[in-house]
C-alpha cells in the first residue's frame, strides 16, 4: 500500500507529514517504557522481519496481490509505541534505498501503514485479550483478528486522505468500495502471518511477547466453599534454547534473510491492492516518478546484476541487513536514553547533618 508521489496533493501530504512526525515523537517517548535489554534487539529484528515479509506479495484475487503491513505484528510483539517506530523504519528504508513509496508521500505512508495499523490493531487486541480466556491461545486468536481488521482500516484512512487531497477527479465512493474490499482479502493474509509469527514466538519465549505479558492466570483452590488463589509453584527451569534471547534473534534473522534473499523470488508479480485500485479507477493519473528512481537498489534489484534471481536476492539481503542495523541502533539509543533519564532522576544522597 505504498503511495507514490503525486497521489496526494502537497498540503495534505505536508499535514500527514506533521501527523507522522508527532506520532514518531510520542512513540520515541513511549518506547522508553516498552524496551528493555531483551526487547531492544528484538525490536530491530521485528523491523527487519517486516521488511523481509513485505517482499512476499501473495495473490488475493485475479490480477491483484497483497503483502504484510506489519503494524499489528510489531505492536503485539514489542508494544504499540515501539511498533510504530518499527514500521516507520521499514518505510524509511524502502523509500530512500529501494524507491518504494514516494519521498513526499512518506508522511502519508507512515500515517497510513504505521500509525493506523498499529493503533487499530493494538486497541482491538487489548480489548479481545481482556474478554477472552487468559491463555496463550487467546493471544494468538486476538492477534489474528486484530491484524485482519487493521488492513481495511488502513485502506479506509487512505481513501479519506485521498478524498481530501487526491490529485485526480475520481469517484471516492467507488474507490472506497474497491480499496476496502480488496484489503479485506489482504487482511486475511496479514492475519495468518501475524498469528503464526506471534504463536511461534510465544511457544519459545512468551516473555518476549509484549501482548502476552501478565496473561498467566493463577490457579484457584476451593477452601471451605470459597475460591482462593493457589500458592504459586516454583517456575520450571527454562530449556537452554529459551533461556537466551540470542537464539530467538539469530533464528529470526536467518529466517528474514532466507525470506528476502530466496523466497521473495517466488512472490506474486501482480500489482498490490493500492496499485490495482489506482490503475482501475484513475488514481494513478498524476503519479510522479520517484526522486531516486535511478537508485542502485531501485525496485528491489541490484544495479548491473543481470540475473534476476541473484539481483533480487542480493537486494533483499541488503535490505534486511540495513534495516536490522538501523532499527537496532534506534532502539538501543531509545533504551540508553531511558537508562540515562532514570539515572538523572536519582538524586545524590543527602550527607548534611
Amino acid at each position: 500500500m505504498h503511495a507514490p508521489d503525486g497521489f496526494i496533493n502537497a498540503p495534505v501530504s505536508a499535514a500527514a507529514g506533521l501527523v507522522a512526525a508527532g506520532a514518531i515523537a510520542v512513540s520515541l517517548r513511549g518506547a522508553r517504557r516498552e524496551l528493555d535489554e531483551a526487547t531492544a534487539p528484538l525490536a530491530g529484528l521485528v523491523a527487519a522481519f517486516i521488511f523481509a515479509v513485505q517482499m512476499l506479495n501473495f495473490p488475493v484475487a485475479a490480477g491483484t496481490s497483497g503483502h504484510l503491513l506489519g503494524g499489528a505484528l510489531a505492536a503485539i510483539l514489542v508494544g504499540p509505541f515501539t511498533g510504530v517506530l518499527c514500521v516507520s523504519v521499514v518505510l524509511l528504508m524502502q523509500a530512500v534505498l529501494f524507491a518504494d513509496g514516494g519521498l513526499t508521500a512518506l508522511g502519508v505512508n507512515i500515517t497510513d501503514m504505521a500509525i493506523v495499523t498499529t493503533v487499530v490493531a493494538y486497541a482491538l487486541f487489548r480489548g479481545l485479550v481482556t474478554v477472552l480466556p487468559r491463555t496463550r491461545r487467546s493471544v494468538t486468536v486476538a492477534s489474528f483478528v486484530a491484524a485482519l481488521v487493521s488492513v481495511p482500516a488502513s485502506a479506509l484512512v487512505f481513501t479519506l486522505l485521498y478524498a481530501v487531497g487526491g490529485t485526480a477527479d475520481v469517484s471516492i465512493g467507488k474507490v472506497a468500495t474497491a480499496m476496502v474490499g480488496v484489503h479485506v482479502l489482504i487482511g486475511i493474509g496479514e492475519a495468518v502471518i501475524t498469528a503464526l509469527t506471534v504463536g511461534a514466538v510465544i511457544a519459545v519465549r512468551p516473555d518476549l511477547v509484549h501482548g502476552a505479558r501478565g496473561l498467566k492466570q493463577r490457579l484457584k483452590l476451593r477452601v471451605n466453599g470459597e475460591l482462593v488463589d493457589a500458592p504459586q509453584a516454583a517456575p520450571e527451569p527454562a530449556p537452554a534454547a529459551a533461556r537466551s534471547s540470542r537464539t530467538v534473534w539469530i533464528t529470526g534473522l536467518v529466517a528474514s534473510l532466507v525470506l528476502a534473499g530466496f523466497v521473495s523470488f517466488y512472490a506474486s508479480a501482480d500489482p498490490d491492492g493500492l496499485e490495482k485500485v489506482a490503475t482501475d479507477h484513475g488514481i494513478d493519473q498524476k503519479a510522479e516518478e520517484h526522486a531516486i528512481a535511478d537508485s542502485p537498489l531501485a525496485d528491489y534489484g541490484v544495479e548491473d546484476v543481470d540475473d534476476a534471481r541473484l539481483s533480487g536476492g542480493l537486494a533483499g539481503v541488503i535490505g534486511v541487513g540495513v534495516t536490522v542495523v538501523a532499527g537496532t541502533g534506534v532502539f538501543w539509543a531509545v533504551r540508553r536514553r531511558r537508562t540515562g533519564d532514570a539515572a538523572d532522576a536519582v538524586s545524590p544522597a543527602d550527607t548534611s547533618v
Side-chain angles (χ1 to χ4, degrees):
M1 199 188 292
H2 299 73
D5 295 323
F7 272 23
I8 308 292
N9 64 27
V12 174
S13 295
L18 291 176
V19 171
I24 289 173
V26 171
S27 296
L28 285 169
R29 294 182 62 86
R32 296 179 198 171
R33 301 189 298 271
E34 295 173 344
L35 294 170
D36 55 33
E37 292 183 0
T39 55
L42 178 63
L45 175 63
V46 169
F49 183 77
I50 290 172
F51 175 91
V53 180
Q54 283 197 1
M55 294 183 66
L56 308 180
N57 281 46
F58 48 85
V60 295
T64 309
S65 69
H67 61 72
L68 181 82
L69 299 186
L73 177 62
I76 294 164
L77 287 180
V78 292
F81 294 107
T82 308
V84 169
L85 298 178
C86 282
V87 182
S88 297
V89 167
V90 173
L91 293 172
L92 179 62
M93 295 300 101
Q94 290 170 332
V96 302
L97 293 179
F98 298 93
D100 188 10
L103 295 180
T104 62
L106 185 59
V108 170
N109 288 327
I110 289 176
T111 298
D112 195 36
M113 297 176 64
I115 301 170
V116 172
T117 57
T118 302
V119 171
V120 170
Y122 197 72
L124 181 56
F125 173 82
R126 294 310 310 177
L128 289 172
V129 295
T130 299
V131 300
L132 290 173
R134 298 167 67 82
T135 64
R136 295 177 185 178
R137 180 175 296 179
S138 296
V139 174
T140 304
V141 171
S143 300
F144 183 95
V145 177
L148 173 62
V149 174
S150 70
V151 178
S154 178
L156 182 59
V157 169
F158 172 83
T159 304
L160 294 175
L161 289 173
Y162 196 84
V164 177
T167 54
D169 184 15
V170 299
S171 170
I172 297 300
K174 292 181 178 179
V175 170
T177 300
M179 281 291 290
V180 173
V182 72
H183 283 90
V184 166
L185 299 177
I186 295 172
I188 296 173
E190 177 106 9
V192 170
I193 295 169
T194 300
L196 288 175
T197 305
V198 170
V201 179
I202 286 179
V204 179
R205 287 291 302 271
D207 58 302
L208 292 180
V209 178
H210 180 89
R213 294 177 181 175
L215 291 179
K216 185 176 180 181
Q217 189 175 32
R218 295 192 63 177
L219 296 176
K220 299 284 186 178
L221 294 178
R222 186 174 296 277
V223 178
N224 296 327
E226 296 182 1
L227 288 177
V228 298
D229 289 333
Q232 287 187 317
E236 297 180 1
R243 283 199 296 265
S244 173
S245 59
R246 182 180 300 176
T247 301
V248 175
W249 196 91
I250 293 174
T251 302
L253 180 60
V254 171
S256 300
L257 291 171
V258 170
L259 291 173
F262 176 72
V263 181
S264 62
F265 181 78
Y266 301 97
S268 173
D270 290 332
D272 68 17
L274 176 57
E275 292 174 317
K276 178 65 173 175
V277 173
T279 301
D280 291 347
H281 295 272
I283 294 177
D284 61 346
Q285 294 175 13
K286 299 294 182 67
E288 300 173 4
E289 185 178 29
H290 201 285
I292 55 171
D294 56 351
S295 164
L297 296 173
D299 297 325
Y300 299 94
V302 177
E303 189 177 29
D304 298 329
V305 176
D306 296 329
D307 184 274
R309 185 191 300 268
L310 179 60
S311 178
L314 286 174
V317 168
I318 292 170
V320 168
V322 172
T323 303
V324 76
V325 170
T328 302
V330 168
F331 298 123
W332 269 119
V334 171
R335 169 64 181 162
R336 287 173 61 87
R337 179 67 179 273
R338 172 189 173 183
T339 304
D341 289 347
D344 293 341
V346 177
S347 59
D350 187 357
T351 60
S352 62
V353 293

